[in-house]
Amino acid sequence: MTHQKHLHDFIPLHGGYRHLITFQKAGIIYDGTVFFTGKYFNKYDRTVDQMVQAARSGKQNIAEASMASGTSKEMEIKLTNVARASLEELLLDYEDFLRTRKLLQWPRSHRLSQRFDTLNQTPNASYDTFKKAIEHEDPEISANVLRCLVKVTVYLLGQQVIALEKAFLNEGGLRERMTRARLQNRKKE
């Protein structure tokens, strides 16, 4: 029992990724991308695999970063950035889809963009929160809603990286926490 307590002195609680808004939104993006590519692309189109893999990579790297956070802040920051880069790639795919089909990419002032903002503020949002818009018959609506979700998530991941960098500067990494714990233990003896 004492051993576990001492471990928690330098290995912080970690792995709570399911509670991260970025992970929740990345899950919606993944499910939406699977639906979107299945509806608007030929199943043999390489774009389908690329978009689905980018969405999957975004989601999975957020989870992996959270799991690594207990022992490697460096790895957590790297994996969070990988998630962000994957979703940035997916954002370009949605923008390409809209542009090549001559569909409007909603400006922030667009009424449906503002409707998205309202939906996006739903606490504990899930795929069902956005389902009507993602699965809308109009590809412009579907692509823009997914594009907006990706943009929000990329922004939030950027903020997450900034917070992780600050935490690292303030608290250090595992070695520093282990050294502090060892020195505190020596003082007790």
Side-chain angles (χ1 to χ4, degrees):
M1 208 58 120
T2 309
H3 179 67
Q4 287 179 336
K5 184 184 183 319
H6 286 289
L7 282 177
H8 290 292
D9 287 345
F10 56 85
I11 297 179
L13 293 174
H14 58 283
Y17 59 88
R18 292 185 191 277
H19 300 291
L20 292 173
I21 291 172
T22 50
F23 180 79
Q24 294 165 3
K25 291 202 182 302
I28 296 166
I29 291 164
Y30 175 79
D31 292 350
T33 299
V34 169
F35 170 83
F36 185 87
T37 56
K39 182 167 183 165
Y40 295 111
F41 290 93
N42 177 309
K43 69 179 179 177
Y44 300 109
D45 188 332
R46 285 190 59 218
T47 306
V48 172
D49 285 341
Q50 290 170 333
M51 288 179 74
V52 170
Q53 286 307 313
R56 182 185 182 282
S57 176
K59 180 175 161 276
Q60 299 303 104
N61 278 292
I62 293 167
E64 192 174 346
S66 178
M67 293 306 294
S69 71
T71 55
S72 177
K73 289 295 174 192
E74 179 185 0
M75 186 62 72
E76 181 182 20
I77 292 167
K78 281 182 182 178
L79 290 169
T80 303
N81 268 319
V82 169
R84 187 173 170 214
S86 294
L87 292 176
E88 190 75 43
E89 178 186 331
L90 183 61
L91 176 64
L92 292 173
D93 287 328
Y94 283 113
E95 290 174 352
D96 288 347
F97 177 88
L98 290 163
R99 187 186 67 258
T100 59
R101 285 161 180 82
K102 303 200 181 338
L103 300 172
L104 177 66
Q105 187 174 301
W106 299 340
R108 294 285 303 136
S109 60
H110 193 279
R111 70 176 182 81
L112 292 176
S113 182
Q114 292 172 351
R115 172 70 180 123
F116 168 82
D117 290 344
T118 303
L119 272 180
N120 192 46
Q121 293 171 13
T122 305
N124 303 311
S126 67
Y127 185 81
D128 286 339
T129 307
F130 298 93
K131 182 178 180 173
K132 187 176 176 186
I134 290 171
E135 296 184 9
H136 200 279
E137 285 302 311
D138 184 344
E140 181 181 299
I141 292 173
S142 184
N144 270 296
V145 166
L146 285 159
R147 182 183 138 269
C148 289
L149 274 165
V150 173
K151 282 184 76 151
V152 165
T153 307
V154 165
Y155 170 79
L156 291 173
L157 285 168
Q159 296 304 300
Q160 201 170 319
V161 167
I162 291 168
L164 291 170
E165 289 170 344
K166 284 180 185 173
F168 178 77
L169 290 175
N170 293 333
E171 300 160 22
L174 179 63
R175 286 177 201 240
E176 290 145 313
R177 290 192 307 271
M178 289 172 73
T179 300
R180 278 194 301 270
R182 189 175 41 207
L183 292 173
Q184 288 173 352
N185 191 45
R186 284 184 185 165
K187 285 181 185 177
K188 291 177 188 174
E189 293 174 359

